[in-house]
Amino acid sequence: MASDRPYSGLFPVAPTPFTETGDIDFDGQRRVLDCMIDQAVDGICILANYSEQFLLLDEERRQLTELSLAHVAGRVPVMVTCSHFSTQIAAARARHASEHGARLIMLMPPYHGAGIKLEETSIREHFARVAEAAGIPIMIQDAPLSGVTLSADFMVRIARDLPLVRYFKIEVAGTAAKLRKLIDLGGEAIEGPFDGEEAITLMADLDAGATGVMSSAMLPDLIRPVIEHHKAGDRQQAAKAYEHILPLINYENRQCGLRAAKTVMMEGGVIKSDHVRHPLEPLHPATRAGLLELAQGVNPLALSWGK
């Protein structure tokens, strides 16, 4: 088992594999988790947006939570995303995940369309109740998808008031600047400042003080050298390692989204299908070819793991 808090390092998001008919491929999910662990990740996040969590039935969420936690079996910490507008539902999800061995919970602020705006008091209470239900650390996901603006000052107040809510995944415009402000204002209360968005701004975010990275599962083995060189104080080697993989990360982020990791894993024999659930559409053949061309140029483990 990895060491206890503070959690840091690589916590990639696991994709949810489906069959060609759209059913969950449970055996494929086990293989995804094994492949990620073989890439020397520090932890795994399941049921995030890049896991297509918004396309899953409640029963499927339950099954995937229990399967993933049982299969990982403590080899690395598992973070479970439990976001929902309803505090009651988010708390129930978090309690279930905690009871089955989750080590962290990731949570977006409550949101439901552009017309429903909550006061900061309600948002804080949402995080507080979910943390109480889970009894394990909570990571706030600060992302444009929610449409909710979380100021650095507000997040610092939460971190100081709620000892379990001291992890933050920042993936907004100007992530590095927000991370820097969050860390400067919050000090030791900011236990885990993480970056996200497929590591598209990784170097700037590490420079700003990020201690964790939440990429996709496509190439964490190639992201690790960037983190390790940077942590060792060798920024030149970190930048060199990052330049090597940045074209692929950029292609994933700008052209493919959550479909990229699935496509690379399918090509590498990790999963049988890169199917995404409707209304998402599969990658255009030309886009798919461009992705695999770039992936073959840097050769992440996921591209050969199952061959």
Side-chain angles (χ1 to χ4, degrees):
M1 170 65 72
S3 62
D4 287 337
R5 297 167 62 176
Y7 298 105
S8 62
L10 270 167
F11 272 72
V13 173
T16 302
F18 301 111
T19 66
E20 285 297 321
T21 57
D23 296 321
I24 294 177
D25 178 0
F26 291 106
D27 183 60
Q29 188 71 67
R30 295 182 184 94
R31 290 172 62 81
V32 163
L33 296 168
D34 288 340
C35 177
M36 294 174 72
I37 291 171
D38 284 350
Q39 293 176 84
V41 299
D42 296 299
I44 293 173
C45 178
I46 64 170
L47 296 173
N49 293 325
Y50 256 47
S51 312
E52 296 175 72
Q53 62 87 13
F54 42 80
L55 293 167
L56 298 173
L57 299 170
D58 290 344
E59 176 60 17
E60 291 174 331
R61 282 188 53 92
R62 183 192 66 77
Q63 292 175 311
L64 285 166
T65 298
E66 295 179 11
L67 175 149
S68 298
L69 290 165
H71 187 70
V72 172
R75 288 177 285 172
V76 297
V78 176
M79 179 191 307
V80 181
T81 308
C82 297
S83 302
H84 199 282
F85 183 80
S86 163
T87 303
Q88 181 178 359
I89 293 173
R93 289 177 173 181
R95 185 182 300 110
H96 174 258
S98 177
E99 289 172 349
H100 285 82
R103 302 297 292 274
L104 302 99
I105 300 298
M106 186 161 73
L107 206 62
M108 297 187 79
Y111 71 96
H112 185 72
I116 299 179
K117 297 292 185 182
L118 298 178
E119 299 294 330
E120 287 187 348
T121 301
S122 298
I123 296 172
R124 180 203 175 281
E125 185 68 17
H126 181 82
F127 291 131
R129 292 188 187 185
V130 176
E132 182 180 8
I136 58 176
I138 304 293
M139 172 178 283
I140 294 178
Q141 182 178 6
D142 180 23
L145 178 65
S146 71
V148 178
T149 300
L150 299 173
S151 70
D153 303 78
F154 177 52
M155 289 190 285
V156 167
R157 292 199 303 273
I158 289 176
R160 287 176 174 160
D161 291 346
L162 306 174
L164 286 176
V165 191
R166 292 185 169 180
Y167 286 79
F168 301 88
K169 179 188 181 186
I170 309 299
E171 44 188 349
V172 297
T175 289
K178 193 163 189 177
L179 278 167
R180 191 171 285 111
K181 184 175 182 180
L182 185 68
I183 295 165
D184 287 347
L185 290 174
E188 292 183 358
I190 309 304
E191 193 167 313
F194 278 56
D195 98 326
E197 208 177 5
E198 300 77 72
I200 190 69
T201 57
L202 177 58
M203 280 297 295
D205 298 340
L206 291 174
D207 288 342
T211 59
V213 178
M214 294 187 68
S215 64
S216 79
M218 184 175 67
L219 72 167
D221 56 314
L222 301 182
I223 292 174
R224 174 165 291 286
V226 182
I227 299 171
E228 290 181 343
H229 286 309
H230 194 280
K231 187 175 182 180
D234 192 342
R235 195 178 183 283
Q236 184 175 1
Q237 285 301 312
K240 185 176 180 180
Y242 190 51
E243 289 167 6
H244 180 60
I245 58 175
L246 185 54
L248 178 57
I249 292 175
N250 180 72
Y251 200 91
E252 174 187 33
N253 179 266
R254 305 297 293 182
Q255 306 298 329
C256 306
L258 60 83
R259 298 165 294 185
K262 284 186 166 186
T263 295
V264 168
M265 285 187 164
M266 178 183 172
E267 185 71 15
V270 182
I271 55 178
K272 295 178 180 178
S273 171
D274 59 359
H275 181 88
V276 291
R277 282 184 168 175
H278 196 270
L280 297 180
E281 297 288 345
L283 291 177
H284 187 278
T287 303
R288 188 178 194 278
L291 172 70
L292 292 177
E293 180 182 39
L294 288 170
Q296 288 158 3
V298 296
N299 196 30
L301 179 61
L303 194 59
S304 60
W305 184 87
K307 291 183 176 179

